[in-house]
């Protein structure tokens, strides 16, 4: 629930396709938000984030909302990606960042709430803009009719 509005999320998991970098463009088309997840115990997964960001910008546009998650934060002893590196990367792209643990349910709900809120805020902005456009158009038509 956001401001008394019930929101239904439709979440698509890439189900391993990302390993071959063969994600169908239908994953990007029409998506309003992206959750980019790396594994804090796997450097390669962190390094791939930049490639995915470029893909998202290219295929979904730079207006789309993205959040970055460093998952498996319960495995502190196996960590190879410092938290600051995740924070810095997220800062460079201007996106929210959280370390999460899907296993221990750390920050998962919060992360999705933040993404949902960003999407909703953007949507209400667009609707507001559309209102302004249609108002202007109505006025113009009225003017021409005289
Ligand atoms: N310790 C720990 N293990 C996790 C966490 N999240 C996922 N795992 C484990 O990591 C492995 C991979 O998890 P998946 O959810 O299949 O990861 P994925 O990247 O979505 O895998 P694909 O769907 O094949 O792309 C599984 O063994 C999970 O149990 C976490 O937060 N902590």
């Amino acid at each position: 629930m956001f401001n008394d509005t019930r929101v239904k999320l439709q979440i698509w998991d890439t189900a391993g396709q990302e390993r071959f970098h063969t994600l169908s463009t239908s994953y990007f088309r029409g998506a309003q938000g992206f959750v980019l997840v790396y594994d804090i115990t796997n450097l390669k997964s962190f390094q791939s984030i930049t490639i995915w960001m470029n893909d998202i910008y290219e295929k979904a546009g730079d207006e789309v909302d993205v959040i970055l998650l460093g998952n498996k934060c319960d495995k502190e002893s196996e960590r190879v990606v410092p938290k600051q590196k995740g924070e810095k990367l997220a800062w460079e792209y201007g996106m929210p960042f959280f370390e999460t643990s899907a296993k221990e349910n750390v920050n998962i709900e919060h992360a999705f709430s933040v993404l949902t809120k960003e999407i909703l805020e953007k949507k209400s902005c667009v609707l507001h803009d559309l209102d302004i456009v249609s108002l202007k158009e109505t006025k113009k038509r009225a003017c021409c009719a005289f």
Side-chain angles (χ1 to χ4, degrees):
M1 294 289 279
F2 282 90
N3 298 333
D4 296 331
T5 308
R6 185 181 290 276
V7 178
K8 191 172 168 185
L9 298 181
Q10 188 180 62
I11 303 168
W12 285 17
D13 184 5
T14 55
Q17 279 187 56
E18 75 282 1
R19 273 195 288 278
F20 311 101
H21 212 100
T22 53
L23 266 193
S24 148
T25 45
S26 55
Y27 272 99
F28 296 91
R29 213 179 302 127
Q32 291 178 298
F34 290 84
V35 182
L36 276 177
V37 186
Y38 67 88
D39 173 352
I40 68 156
T41 71
N42 178 335
L43 187 60
K44 199 163 168 268
S45 71
F46 179 71
Q47 289 164 340
S48 303
I49 294 295
T50 315
I51 301 168
W52 286 112
M53 268 317 278
N54 291 338
D55 244 39
I56 289 172
Y57 281 160
E58 196 182 299
K59 293 180 180 145
D62 53 9
E63 281 298 300
V64 81
D65 288 300
V66 189
I67 58 168
L68 179 64
L69 305 184
N71 193 42
K72 301 197 185 179
C73 69
D74 55 284
K75 290 176 118 181
E76 192 53 52
S77 60
E78 293 174 45
R79 177 193 285 276
V80 293
V81 184
K83 191 176 182 184
Q84 292 89 327
K85 281 210 166 189
E87 286 169 341
K88 184 168 177 280
L89 186 64
W91 181 80
E92 283 166 3
Y93 282 112
M95 59 187 169
F97 168 72
F98 307 99
E99 283 204 339
T100 56
S101 168
K103 187 182 176 196
E104 296 185 353
N105 195 16
V106 176
N107 260 346
I108 302 293
E109 203 173 322
H110 180 57
F112 277 90
S113 295
V114 168
L115 180 62
T116 308
K117 199 161 169 270
E118 296 222 335
I119 292 170
L120 288 176
E121 276 165 6
K122 188 160 290 165
K123 221 174 166 177
S124 70
C125 261
V126 171
L127 286 177
H128 180 70
D129 284 353
L130 285 176
D131 280 351
I132 292 170
V133 170
S134 71
L135 262 178
K136 277 186 192 154
E137 280 179 353
T138 315
K139 265 192 194 156
K140 207 169 146 194
R141 268 200 300 275
C143 171
C144 293
F146 283 126

